[in-house]
Structures are given as C-alpha cells and as structure tokens.
Amino acid sequence: MATASDRYWVKDLKPGTELDELFVVRSKDVRQRRGGGPYLALTLGDRTGEVTGLVWENVERLGKLCEVGQVLRIRGQVQRYNQRLQVVVRGAEPVPAGEVDEALFVRSSEIDPDILWQRLIALVEKVSDPHLKQLLFRVFSDPEVAQRLKVAPAARGMHHAFRSGLLEHTVSMATSARALARHYRLHEDMVVTGALLHDLGKIWELEIDASIEYTDDGRLLGHLAMEVLYVERTIAELGSFPGEHRRHLLHILLSHHGEYEFGSPRRPKTPEALLVHMADNLDSKMAGMLEAIGSGGDDEDAWSEFSRILDRHVYRRRLPAPDNGSTGS
Amino acid sequence: MATASDRYWVKDLKPGTELDELFVVRSKDVRQRRGGGPYLALTLGDRTGEVTGLVWENVERLGKLCEVGQVLRIRGQVQRYNQRLQVVVRGAEPVPAGEVDEALFVRSSEIDPDILWQRLIALVEKVSDPHLKQLLFRVFSDPEVAQRLKVAPAARGMHHAFRSGLLEHTVSMATSARALARHYRLHEDMVVTGALLHDLGKIWELEIDASIEYTDDGRLLGHLAMEVLYVERTIAELGSFPGEHRRHLLHILLSHHGEYEFGSPRRPKTPEALLVHMADNLDSKMAGMLEAIGSGGDDEDAWSEFSRILDRHVYRRRLPAPDNGSTGS
Amino acid sequence: MATASDRYWVKDLKPGTELDELFVVRSKDVRQRRGGGPYLALTLGDRTGEVTGLVWENVERLGKLCEVGQVLRIRGQVQRYNQRLQVVVRGAEPVPAGEVDEALFVRSSEIDPDILWQRLIALVEKVSDPHLKQLLFRVFSDPEVAQRLKVAPAARGMHHAFRSGLLEHTVSMATSARALARHYRLHEDMVVTGALLHDLGKIWELEIDASIEYTDDGRLLGHLAMEVLYVERTIAELGSFPGEHRRHLLHILLSHHGEYEFGSPRRPKTPEALLVHMADNLDSKMAGMLEAIGSGGDDEDAWSEFSRILDRHVYRRRLPAPDNGSTGS
Amino acid sequence: MATASDRYWVKDLKPGTELDELFVVRSKDVRQRRGGGPYLALTLGDRTGEVTGLVWENVERLGKLCEVGQVLRIRGQVQRYNQRLQVVVRGAEPVPAGEVDEALFVRSSEIDPDILWQRLIALVEKVSDPHLKQLLFRVFSDPEVAQRLKVAPAARGMHHAFRSGLLEHTVSMATSARALARHYRLHEDMVVTGALLHDLGKIWELEIDASIEYTDDGRLLGHLAMEVLYVERTIAELGSFPGEHRRHLLHILLSHHGEYEFGSPRRPKTPEALLVHMADNLDSKMAGMLEAIGSGGDDEDAWSEFSRILDRHVYRRRLPAPDNGSTGS
Amino acid sequence: MATASDRYWVKDLKPGTELDELFVVRSKDVRQRRGGGPYLALTLGDRTGEVTGLVWENVERLGKLCEVGQVLRIRGQVQRYNQRLQVVVRGAEPVPAGEVDEALFVRSSEIDPDILWQRLIALVEKVSDPHLKQLLFRVFSDPEVAQRLKVAPAARGMHHAFRSGLLEHTVSMATSARALARHYRLHEDMVVTGALLHDLGKIWELEIDASIEYTDDGRLLGHLAMEVLYVERTIAELGSFPGEHRRHLLHILLSHHGEYEFGSPRRPKTPEALLVHMADNLDSKMAGMLEAIGSGGDDEDAWSEFSRILDRHVYRRRLPAPDNGSTGS
Amino acid sequence: MATASDRYWVKDLKPGTELDELFVVRSKDVRQRRGGGPYLALTLGDRTGEVTGLVWENVERLGKLCEVGQVLRIRGQVQRYNQRLQVVVRGAEPVPAGEVDEALFVRSSEIDPDILWQRLIALVEKVSDPHLKQLLFRVFSDPEVAQRLKVAPAARGMHHAFRSGLLEHTVSMATSARALARHYRLHEDMVVTGALLHDLGKIWELEIDASIEYTDDGRLLGHLAMEVLYVERTIAELGSFPGEHRRHLLHILLSHHGEYEFGSPRRPKTPEALLVHMADNLDSKMAGMLEAIGSGGDDEDAWSEFSRILDRHVYRRRLPAPDNGSTGS
C-alpha cells in the first residue's frame, strides 16, 4: 500500500518536475478548447494541498476514470502558469480503493485523533467537581459525540480547518485555559468544562467530506445554540445538576464569542466566562498565525500569504532559540 | 374605594397646586438637614409618573408611616425646583391596603390585560397549521406563562416599559406582522407563531415590582436563549413536531434582533425571520416615538424630551386628519 | 411575431441543449484566439437573464450582424464551462426590429406597468387631504414623470433592478405603509404621500437601456435632492400648500434613508417619517430576499446565491402552506 | 452709558472679589431653602461668559426685578463653590434699556460684523466668472440674508457658537479655500462660491437670542437642504445660469460635510467639492481648538477644558515665536 | 504608631457607626450654608477608599487643621445620604507625620513591591538569550527605572490603578505569557522581554500623588513612544545587540495594543507580538473584573458596580471550589 | 538616444495602432498554449503606464531576450481584449542599456527632483527659529536622507505612488501648511518643520525598483516610528535642542495620521499638530483625486476609474476658467 514516506507532496511541487504519483480527484470540469474539442481540468489533491491538473489528450478515456473522490496514479509535468503551479497530465490510472491509505489524501491534524482524544479524557478526569465531571462523562461517552468530534474541523477556513481540527483546538485551548485559571485563582473545573464544551456544537455545524461545508442547521441555528440545547438536554437527564452550576455553564457557552458583533448573545460577566472567551480567541488566532507561517510560498519569503483570520501578512523569520534550550522545552 | 375618575394625576401636577391626594411611596430617604436635624425625601408615584416629596416637619412620626409600597393620603403644595416639580408635604396618613385600587399606582398598559390576552388567543386560533397551533396552545395554556405574560413589561426603559407592556407589544406586532405576511405572500402561520414567541423569554428576564429590574438569568442567559430552551422543551413534549418546522421557528427566535451587534447569534435567512425581525423593530421604535410625543414637557412644546431608544428629540406637532376621516378609521 | 409562450428562456438553459431561439445582443467583443485568428464573445440575453455566446466560425460575417441591441436567431449548443453555462454559436440570423416583441428581451417587473400605474392612481385617489391630493395629482399628471416612472428601475442591483421596478416598489411599499399607518393611527394621507414620492428622484437618477446606469446628476446630486427640489417646485406652483404640510413632507423625503450613514441628511423625527423609512426598508429587503430565493442555481439547492443587499445566503426551502389555505389568501 | 473699557468681565471674576457691576439676567429660578423660605438662583452673563448669582435676602422684591433679558447693577461677593464661582448677591437695581450698550452682554465675534461683511463682499468682487458673480450678488443683496448673516452663529456649541460666528467662519474659510484652490490649480471662483454658500442655510437653522437654539425647520430640514432650496430658487430667478455650473455648485453644497455619517447625502466627487469640505473642516476644528486654548481654567493650566468638537483636552503651552517675527506676520 | 491591625477601614464603614479613627484629607472645600455661614466638605481617605466628611461646627478652627495630605484623628458618625455614605465630623485632631504609617493611606498593590520586584528579577534571570538578558539587566538596573517602577500605577482607572499596580501587572502578565509561550512553542525569551518592557513607558506617563494624573509627556507622546525611545537608546548603548532581535522587540512594543484603534501604530505580525498583546489584554481585563467583584456595594449584591473597563456589570456569585481543592492549588 | 519628444506613450495607445517603439519589460511569463506549445506574456511599460504584450511566434528566441528590466524595441499591433488593450508582438530587439534614457521608463513625478529639492531647501531656509533650522539642516544634509528622499515614493498606491513622489508631496504640503499657519497665526516654523519631517520615515519604509514594495522594517516598525527614532537621535546629537521644542515636534510626528484608526498612537493636541495632520490629509486626497481625473479611460468619459484612496469614482468634467484668468494664475 502506498505510504507517506517517500511521497511527492503537493506542497513540495516545483516547476519542471516530472511526476509519477498518487492524487485524489477533488473536482472535474470538461471544458471547451479554444482551438476546438474538449479538455479536462481537474483539481488534484493530497493532505498537504491542491493543484490544477490539465488533460489535453485521451480526454474521453481519462474523463471516464476521473470521478471525484477517485485516487489516480498521475504521470505528467509541473508547470508554472500565471504565478500558480499546474500539472499537465500525460497519463492517469485508477488505484483501487483498498490499495491506498486514505489518510494521505485528507488534510488533517498533525496529531493522531486518538491521542487527542486521550488528552481530552485526561482533562475530564482531572475535574474534581462531581457535577461537572458527571456531565462531561455523559457528553463524551455519547457515541455520536465521540465519533463526530474525532473528525470534525473547527472551521471552514481561518484556523484548524481540517479533519480533527476541532478536537485539536479544544484540547489545546482547554489545557492553556486550565493553566490560566490557576494563575488567576478561578474555578478551574468550570473553566475546563466550559472550554471542553464551548465549540461542541460545531460537530453538527460543519460537514467534512471532499470539502468542509456548513450544514443547514449550522447556518440557521449555529453551533452556539446547538451546544446550548444539547447541554441543557443532558443536564435535564442528569437530574441533580445544581442550578447555579447550570447558570454559570450556560453563560460561558452563550458568551464565548466575547462580543455581540461576533455572534455572542451575551458578553462574559464572570471571570470564568471571560477566560474561556479569551483563551479561545488566543488559541484560534495563534493557530491561524502559525498556519500562515508554515504554509504557502517559498521558504525564503520573509512574509506569509495574506492571513484572512488576522487580516494581515505575517512575518515568517523566527529568531533562533538560545543554545540552552529555554524555548520549546 | 378611591377611583381614577376625579384624581389629580402626577402627570398633571402644576406648581402652586394645593394637594390632598393618594400616592404610593416608591422610595424613602432620611437625609441630614444642612441647618441640623433630619428630613424625609420620598418618591411618590401613581401609574402616570413619579414626583419627589419632601417632609420637613414631624419627620420622625411620618418616617415611620412611609414604608415603600405604602399608599398615603398626602396634603401639601407643589413647587418648582431646578426645573422639576416637588411636593412639600405637610401631612400624610396611611391608607389601608384593602381600601385602594392598586391599579391606580402602577404604570401599565392603557389596554386591559384581559383584553390583550383575548386578542392573543384570537391570533392563536386563526393559525391553520396544526403543528404550530398545537405548540402555541401548549405554550399559552402553561399557567406560569399566562400569569407572567399578563403583567410582564417589554423592557426596562426604551419602549413598553410598563405592566403588561410585553403583551401589548406582542399582540400589536403579531397583528401587523400577519398583515405584512399576507402582503408579501409568506407563511402567515409561521410568522404569527414567531411573532407571538419572539420575546416570550422576557417573562423570565425582567421582574416588575416597585421598579423593573433584570433577573440574574436575564443578565446571564438573556430572553432569547431562555425562550429557545423553553420552545425546544415544549416541542420535545409534543413529540410529533416536524423537523423543518422546528428549524424555521428556532431560526426566527435566534435571529429576531436582526444583526449580531444587537445580540442575535444568527441573522434572518428566511423571509419569515426577516419579517418578524422588522415588524418587531417597527413596533418597538414606533411605540417609543409615540410615547415620547405623548409624555413629558408642556403640551405646547414642539419637541419631545430626548428619546433614548431613538437617540433624538421627536417633533410633537401633528397634522390634523382631514375631515372625511380617512385617518384612524 | 415571436412570443413568450413556447420560448426557451435563458433562465431555463441546460448543458447539452441544442438551441434555435431568439436573443438580444447585450455586448460584443472581438477577441484573439490563442491559436491565432479572432473569435467573437457575445452576451446574449432575454428578460430572464444573460448568457455568454461564443462564435468560432464565420467570425467576420457574424461579427457584422451582431450589433448591440440587435435581436438574433441563434443556433448552437449549450455547454458548461467553469461552473457557468455558455452557448457555442453555429449560426446567427438577424431578426428585423418590427418582427419581435421587445418585451421578451428586457428584464422587467412581472406585473404589467399599466396595472401598476392604475394601482398608484388608486392610492392617490384614496387620499382625503385636499392639499396632498392636489400635489400628488400635479406630480403624477406631469407627462415626464408618468413616462419615466413607468419604465424606471428602483436600483442598479440590490432589489427591483429591472424595468418598472421603481413603480412596483413604490406601489407595494405605499400599500403596506398605508396599512401600517392605520394600525398605528398615524396620518395616513401624509404617509401615503411620502411613500409615493420617496424615491421619485430615481426617475432622473438611473437610466435603463441595455443596462442600468447612474446619470451624472444621479451621482452628483442623488435622487433624494432631486425629488426634494422637484416637490418644492411643484408646491410653489400650487401656491396654497400649507407650510406645516410642506415641512412634514419634505422631512419625510429628507429622512427616508433612516440614518446618516445611508445618505439621509436628516433622521426621522415624526411617526410618519419613521414609518415611511421602515416600510421602504422592509419592502426593499423583502424583495431582495424573495428575488434571491427565486433566482439562480439549481431548484434543489437549499441555499440561494449570495445576496448583496442582505450580505448573506438565503434559505430557499419553504414550508408548505397548510391545507385550509390561510397563507396567501 | 456703561462701556467696556473698565468693566469687570465674567471671565475675569475671582473668588473674594466685591462686585458692583452690570450683568444681564439669562435665567431665573425661585427655589426652596432647606431651612424654609425661598431664594433666587440667577444666571448672570455678559459677552464673555456666565456665572450663577444667589439671592438670599429681599427675595420677593428682587424676584420681581429680575426678568430674563433685564440688565441689572449687581452688588455682591464672588465665592468659590464646588470648583465653580458664584456671586452672592446683596443688592440689585434694574438699568433702563436705553442706558446700556447691548453689545456688552452678548457673546459675539471679536471682529466687528461690518468688517466681516466687507471682507465677504471683497471675496465676491474678486470672482471673475460672471454667472457665479451674479448669483453671489443676488444672494448677498437679499436683505433678509444680509440681516440674518450678520448676526447668525455657526453652531450651538462646538465652534463659532456666538453672534456673527457664521460670518466669521464663512469669511475665514473662503479666504483659505481660495488660497488652496490656487495652490492646487482648481476653479477658484467655484471654490469661493461654494465656500461662501456652504453654510448659508444656518441663518434659518439657528436662532440666537438669550441662547442659541435650533429652529423647527433646522431640526426637520437642516441647513444643507435649506440652502440648496434657496440657491436653486435664486438660480431659477437668474434664468441664464449654465447647467454645468449649477450641477457643480449644488454638488458642493450637497457634499460639504464630506461623509454620509456627518449628514452629507453625497460625498465630494470633484476637486472643488473636496476642497470646500476640507477647508470647512479645518476652519471648524482649528477654531474649536483655539477657542479651547483661549477659554476656561487658569492661565497657568497646561491643558484646556475638554473640547467637545475635538473630543480631547488641548495643550495650551505655546512656543514663543522667534525674534525675527516669521510667525504671525 | 497606628497600624492596620484593628483599623476601621473606609471600605467597611456602615451607617450609624460612631467613628474614632485616622484618615488622610484628600480634598477640602469651604462651602456656603444655605441657612448662612460656612461649612467644610472634606474627602477623607485611606488605602481602601474615600468618603465625604462634613464639618458643621467649629468650621474656622478645623478648616485651618485640614490641609490636603494631613492625617487626622476623626470623631463623628457615619450616615447615609442619597445612597452614599458620609461622615458627620464632630471633632478632628491632626496627627504628626512621624506618628503614622503612610502605607495605611495610599491605595496600593496588595503584594509588597519588594516581593514584586524580586519576581521581576527572577523572570529576568531565567532569560537565556544573552542579548535580551543583557538588555533587561541594563534597563532594570537603571536606578530611575527601579525607583519609578516600584511605585507607578498601571492606569488612572480601569485596572491596576494604584501604587505599584504597574509592577504587579507586569509580573503577572509576564508570568502567564511565559507559560503560554511554552505551550505554543514560541521564543520564550523574546516573549518575556516584550512582556517586561511593554508598559515601561508608563513610569513617565503617569504621576501618582494624592491622585493619579497624566504627565504632559504622557499626553503628548504616550508610554508606547517613550518606551520605544528608551529601549532604542539602551540598545544603542549596548552596541552589540543583533538587528533582528531589535526589530522583533521594537515590533512587540509598537504593536502591543493590538489594533490601530487602541493606539497601536502597528498590529502584531509575529507570534511573539500577538502573544504579548493578548496576554496583556487578558491580564488587564481579568484584573478589572476581579477588582469589580471585590469592591463596592454590599457583599450580598449579586452584581458589581458598573465596570468601566468591561463596560458592564459583573456577576459576583462565585461557585464554591470542590472539596478536594482542585481550584487555586 | 531615444527621447520623449515623439514617443508613443502607453497611456496614448489605441486599438489598431501598429507600433514600433521602446518599452521596458516589467514581468515575463511563459505560458502553455491551449493548442499546445508555449507563448510569452509580458508586461511592457514606460513611465506613463503598463500594457500586456503577447508573443505567439519565435517564443524561444524572444523569451531569452526578454529579461525583466530590459528595454526592447517592440514591433506589433495594439488590440482590445476584454475591455483592456494588449500588444500582439511580432518582433522585439534588445536596446543596450547605454542607449536609452531610463527616465522614460520609470513612473515619476512630473517635476524634476532637483527642482523639488531646491524648493525643500528654500522652505528650510525661511525657518527663523534657530533650533528648528539647525535640526532641519542636520537632517537634510545627511547624504543618506538626501539620496533616498530624491527618489522615494510616498505610497505603494493611493497617491504620489511614483519616483520622487514623497518629495513632491512633502514640498507641496509644507508650502500649503505654511500659508495656513500664517492664516491661523500659528507657529509657522514648527508647522513647516513638522510638515517636512512628517513622512521622512517613508524613505526606509518603501523600496522603489521595478515596483514599489514595503521593506521589512516598513511593515514591522512603520515610517512613523522610524522617523521618530531618527529625529530623536538627531536631536540628541545637536545637544542644545530645547525640551519644549522636542515635545511639540515629536507630538506632531506621533499624531500626524490624525486618528488612532489610521495608525497614529496620539491624536493632535496642539494647533500645529492639527494643521500638519489636516494639510497632509488634504494634499494626499487632492493628489489622489487629480491623479484619478488625469489617468485611465477615455478622455470623454465623464467619470474616472474607481479611486481607491477616495473609495469612489470622480467626476472628470471641469468647468472652464473664466476669460480673465482668475483661476490658476
């Protein structure tokens, strides 16, 4: 089975390269040649990105092979056109579904979702408050939640917009929120609970497939309302959840976007709600900035592509860490 | 029992008038006289407004009588001080609770709440869609809802900020929304249902007593979330409510403030949601403007007091309706 | 003469269709073929929309026939290119001007302008106030006004951006404004007068031809100023128009965009001005939303194209009206 | 007759001073003494400012003398109370209207209005374009315009909020606009014409009396619309005014606030309109800043009172001009 | 010497209490009694707050004792007036400067400034990068910096607006920023350096005395520019500071307010700058919220006074920490 | 050597023209022909603008000649494609660097930079204040400053975005600022000094080459900080510069963008700072408007291309100056 070890990734393509590599077909378009006759314009992808593929010859035969979602062994040459790369395809052979590792072709978190899940469960286990702990166990032992959360992205673009991105964001943000809760002597358990549930509704707001799209409920109700309804239902099932706990927790969920103009019907009015909002904001923007630094463009460019979440270009030159390794340890 | 017929209302007080009239005590403050000794500063009210009452003599005896909420027969003189009226109280006698009509002392809708309630029920009865009709009957036959809705105000200030103001606003706005739904050929039943439920959460958001105040849940969760949770719970009880109906209805509730910056976590994405939002907005602002025209200041002033909901002064001179009565018929 | 009955409308084109149909030429471009030699890129239209037409053969001969505004009988095939449809033209014959019904080729209101005009006159006739009635008759009996208003669009894009769109918007909005004026017991005649005149200046602000464009006066003075100047001039001609009527009416025109940032030099300070503004706003946005639902994309798409006036996508799934027909009756 | 030469001005009052000076009564209030009995609270003014006057004795007799608008000879002592000065009045005698110079008691431009008027006429006379020159002569030879313009303020607060302030602002701003028009090689005559007419409507927007207030037309129509209507009417009388001149000029008036949010229904789209807007803005803000520096507080304070037009405090320490007099020459 | 142990603090005053306690005079005003004669209005304070003191008797003698800054032994009674407390002073004796602990009377950090300073130095010592470490030592060994930083407040209001508030904020924020830098694998040393210097200019921007006021340089240049100039000068003295280090560090200082509208001439374009900005924002808002919860009003009030930095009231009811002490450990 | 006298400028190209003219290559792209084989897409420019050039024949040979920066003698035909002009190149010959006047190919100020420099020096020489004069001489006698300032643009787009544009803007704006300073009796020398230095940092913020780009320091520090640091350093070298002069001058630089949201860390708090800001704003916008009028589109178009700095289209029809030449003299 084809593996990642010696692959020519999309992100590493260079003009002039002769390719013989596997890609998944993300879209297919039969177009009219100016000189007469049809040609194929494909979007070829792997988990590191996408590139246009053009088929000028054997259009009919190849057109039949190239269904969206199909993995193909592509032979051809990389060329630069209008500042962007494209692959002129000379040959393409379908690869049977059983013979490929699908993980090569879906953009996803760099951390294994099972490891992320273990970290999440570890965070739950450290919660001392029995009511919050019981609620979290009830939520995360719901098989639908577990199944969806392991694959859900955190957004369509902006940040963590990839498979398991929501889980990665949730774990990272809950971890730093817990540390900050301790620093400011807040109610750690409530902060962790709010952090773990603050974006839960996204498992029903977004669908990840060939691309990430909003669901109808996502557009009409939004993740904030869906997670509030879900948590309320779960609390009702528990029976004995204290009213003041419920009020604090629902307030965190209803205010976690921080300001009305970002879709929060409430603004944070408790220290725990303020912290969940700000740790969420930090994790999202930091991830967006680090993704901008790591992706796109030539490695020698001092500046990243334009980052939409930050509305700016990002400086990519990093200072070296000092020898004794104080950084990143 | 004292009645409204020949009463000297707060809104009609004039400098120089000698009073002998009933008022309720809204607040009481014992203050230090500059020349030594205490005096009493009262807020006296009836359903048309409030005025300061000052007690310079017999402070000790009167201070004991003047509890907040007590109705008193007040003798004294109206004076102007710093552009505002005040009553210099010469005598005050308590009136037993059973001998007064409380309705004289609470600012409230000019329409009887029972009549408003009949109008609301009439609107429900005209709904044809069986699911929506059943839901509305379930909601409005909940005794807690009925009892609270009959007295709840629609706001702390701004518009309809008085007893039964929420019911008055709901009925007025649902009536005009239904007419507009017909004009634009929308789903009338969904519009009426959304209109009747759009502010329901305010029965738990505000408390009316001597004054109107937010509840803790009102501040931390808000009426929008509370009515969404209540409607969801009622739908769950009904069992057979269609999913697409639920989605349309919850979307109306979640988007009825129209824009994120006004606390809507969603913006209207269906014609019915757009209409409910805009009819709500119109009814609120129109009521605010008409209240501004009707209240405060001298009748001959061409301009109203500053209206906070409209952020402006309002022109009070109305054109006369033409003879043939096309207006207001 | 060609009629609408059995026509293949632009909005109904599908990939693969073989066409033999009339279209008007909206634009023509001679382009350079990549392989050498010229080709023609046309914009072909009818009253339901526009589509690109490409001429690869007989370019010289066809190029001479294809003047902008000319109606052609087109033979060719519909193809999909880059998610959009285009017609590859094999043959084109000019159709003499006298043999075609021009109404087939101009996007226009679905309601006959003469019917809209009758509705407008009916609204005028119901005005009771003699001064306002006389003013309205004077305005709408001005032949220039009548001629322009019957064809003028209400906007370049956004809403009612088609022939007679201004008249459709004016009549719809004045009708609902009158109903709301009665609901809120305002001066109906002033509301109707303001509603009928609120966008009159657009007959000089926009020019409709092959496309809708702003006039120089439209850009430099704007419809608001032009209608204020026109109404003032007409009032001066009437001689006996009461000053307080003039003040109320001019205020409505000067404030009908509601807020400074939308180009209103005044904000509404009378209930009538507030109502005209809000009914205008409602009619514009509702029309924009209903146009978005009705146009573009596949019928099965749950979501409309992006609507610029609403700055969002619109949910296209409508609930069925209940059996007993309460909706739309 | 009392003159300005040796007067004790309001702006120069100091705690402890024994006064025997003329002031005009701007407002009068009979208040209730805490210890019983009435006292008088007056606002006393002259053209440099206002101060509170308190009458504790002979209240009844003095109360009759102190009508608003009456000039009184006041004897009393200046005291500081709550960081503000007040005059404790021991005696007051009315001064007959014929015996006082009214100019002492009205805040007004430091430049004589007749001199300002001459400067305005000089600006008109330098206009070469015959159409613009004729228009300006027609406008400024209208006796109502001349009479009102000589006394009108430019605002209620903010800047030039005093008698003849509008004329001072108009002349200053037209002078600098003409210089800038020459610098940028624009149409000087159009710039000067626009500058001289840009605020003309304020002569009907504001009323100056004891205080400066908006007129009803000022609030409902605004100066911008009123001057556009007036200029249009005057152009119609002239008969031969070229259409392109009219379009340029009306555009300047309609866009002179620069942005929609400041009440301009158009934004400047010609260099002449841009210049009139920006010269107006500069003159207003600079006047506001210089007034803030010159007024209020102790001369040694480094910072002015809070300036509302600039939304900030202003630094009052000026650098000395160098010896050779390059500054201010 | 009077100590804090058994003191009756301003924050603990209750109506009716008979006082015999030390306070400092923060302001003094001689006012005119309505019934004739003067009285004294004092502002009395200690490090927990301020209260009004009124002197009705022996005004002349006590007026001479009560200089601003003087500590007095006050005898009198606490009363409530207009919802606020005041002290009616019956007697007052001056306390010699040497006999009082000044720390009782200045609002200041609850942590000893020397302990804060040790924490700051500890943060510096953990920096590994030699250039950054040398720079920090140079800055914090400047005696002027050390002396000013130990007492400087972080703001006039909002948050940390008390003696040593800047140091408390700097240490708290640098500590959490370092933890977050490690979490996101950023350059810890640069983050700590930026955090320690980000508000340094405030030692020249604010003056703390009886109250906290801006300096002239604070208003005209601002702390951001002043610290940039100071760091640049210190870097120039060091000689060998690498250019890329300087660029990163100056960028952090120039962008630490995050957005243009908060006075940042740059927005964060490196992860380190983004983190310093967001950790600063978090520490400021969290401190503001915790101060709001801890101060003002009755302990039983569920809601704090209005918090200006957060533009809202804050919910004061805290959840109890679970038994096993996971919170705050 | 080729000169400007009889040149066919890019801005004057018309469809159908047969060209034989010199152009510089601004970019080069080898593209894939749809019909197979490569072709060249060039950007050809001179100092008046840019046009696309397409090479269909002899691609290999010409591809080698066409390096970016090379001047070529181009033979070919101008054609219109998609509303834009392009040149179909039939032949191209390189022109040796020594044989061409480079000034023909770089967009630059229409005024000779040496003349602009003389005007700047003349402005410096008229400064009377010895400290400011000395500072200005020190700055402009720095060879790096002189060399960079003569070529630097004032922006990447918007206004003065060409060689020597910064110098042109500086001189124009300082000239008008001085006239306005005299009009308002401000400190002329400080205004001129602030005006001459207000954008100095742009010589390090932007790099002009084939195109105009930001430097790394430009993005991370910005011109405002860079000029403040430079001026501070120069002041330190002078030794005797008075503190109050420094404070006023640095304040002008730190506030010259006028508002926080435009990147000013301070807002103008002195009249001189306010004037420098507003004269800068006027010069920038006026230049942007005049550039929009002068460039692009057909001369007969009444409206300019969309101007980004003004966010609007500009009216291009100018009124004729009256006969006696009052305009522009």
Side-chain angles (χ1 to χ4, degrees), chain F residues 25-66:
Chain F
V25 178
R26 291 247 167 83
S27 75
K28 182 184 76 169
D29 213 358
V30 184
R31 297 182 186 167
Q32 192 69 21
R33 243 162 129 146
R34 290 289 152 88
Y39 71 97
L40 285 181
L42 308 173
T43 304
L44 302 172
D46 62 22
R47 78 177 188 213
T48 70
E50 297 182 344
V51 68
T52 298
L54 297 172
V55 181
W56 299 106
E57 299 158 43
N58 295 320
V59 170
E60 199 171 356
R61 190 183 64 82
L62 287 173
K64 285 178 190 152
L65 299 174
C66 298

Side-chain angles (χ1 to χ4, degrees), chain B residues 128 184 244 268 283 312 315 324, chain C residues 128 184 244 268 283 312 315:
Chain B
S128 304
Y184 290 110
E244 194 71 14
D283 199 72
R312 74 197 71 160
Y315 190 56
N324 66 350
Chain C
S128 304
Y184 290 109
E244 194 69 14
D283 198 72
R312 71 197 73 161
Y315 190 55

